[in-house]
Amino acid sequence: INPVGEWNQYQIMVYNGCVLLVANGHVVNQANIVDPQIGFIGLQCEGEHVQFRNIEIKEIVGPLPDVRWGRGRRPGEKAPGRH
C-alpha cells in the first residue's frame, strides 16, 4: 500500500469462477469457485477516510493478463495429471 497522500491502484478481475484482486501490480487476494451475479457494485472502507477516483468497469477481451489464478493455474487450465 502506498504512503498517505499517494493513490493506490486496484484491479478486480473475474473470470471462469475465479476472482483476483491486484493492488499496485501485486496479487493480494483471490477466490475460487465463485458465482458472480448481475447487480450493484459496492465500495467500502473499514473505519478510515477513503476517496475513490477514475473507476472503470471493462470487459476483458483478448488474452488474459499474465497472472496466475486459483492455485497457480490460469482460468480453464487443468491441474497437472488430470484430464
Side-chain angles (χ1 to χ4, degrees):
I1 302 299
N2 289 333
V4 172
E6 292 184 26
W7 290 98
N8 291 292
Q9 181 183 31
Y10 290 91
Q11 293 176 296
I12 303 169
M13 294 178 270
V14 180
Y15 183 82
N16 200 24
C18 297
V19 176
L20 189 70
L21 174 61
V22 179
N24 300 323
H26 301 280
V27 175
V28 294
N29 205 347
Q30 66 183 37
N32 301 308
I33 312 172
V34 296
D35 184 18
Q37 302 292 315
I38 293 174
F40 295 98
I41 296 174
L43 303 173
Q44 69 180 43
C45 71
E46 307 229 353
E48 297 294 326
H49 177 75
V50 67
Q51 294 178 322
F52 299 97
R53 70 174 186 171
N54 300 332
I55 297 171
E56 298 179 27
I57 300 173
K58 301 181 197 177
E59 180 178 2
I60 298 173
V61 293
L64 291 172
D66 188 23
V67 293
R68 294 289 169 173
W69 299 55
R71 299 184 184 161
R73 294 187 299 273
R74 290 179 63 84
E77 188 174 77
K78 298 200 182 289
R82 295 189 177 182
H83 303 288

